[in-house]
Amino acid sequence: REETISQLDNCRALRTRDYKFVYNQNDLPELYDLREDPDELLNLASRRPELATAMQRRLTRRLM
């Protein structure tokens, strides 16, 4: 698969081969580089806002 999505209550996630984006209505967005940071310790959302926005749009499109 190119990407997968998951949803639980107010939390939604989009995972691709390279990245994982997590949107939680009650918290800040999260973006992880799964190849460089497989343990998901470094949230890149503020460092890569263009990628975080693109991932959020993909997630929204998939859920509609």
Side-chain angles (χ1 to χ4, degrees), residues 6-12 23-26:
S6 58
Q7 180 176 351
L8 178 64
D9 296 326
N10 294 328
C11 187
R12 299 176 178 122
Y23 174 76
N24 183 338
Q25 288 179 311
N26 303 321

Side-chain angles (χ1 to χ4, degrees), residues 14 25 30 36 53:
L14 170 72
Q25 288 179 311
E30 300 173 39
E36 297 292 320
T53 298

Side-chain angles (χ1 to χ4, degrees), residues 13 23 27 29 36-37 51-52 55 57-58:
Y23 174 76
D27 207 351
E36 297 292 320
D37 179 22
L51 181 56
M55 295 285 284
R57 286 183 182 144
R58 283 172 77 174

Side-chain angles (χ1 to χ4, degrees), residues 17-33:
R17 181 171 289 145
D18 299 326
Y19 295 98
K20 181 177 180 183
F21 176 78
V22 180
Y23 174 76
N24 183 338
Q25 288 179 311
N26 303 321
D27 207 351
L28 296 174
E30 300 173 39
L31 176 67
Y32 300 102
D33 183 331

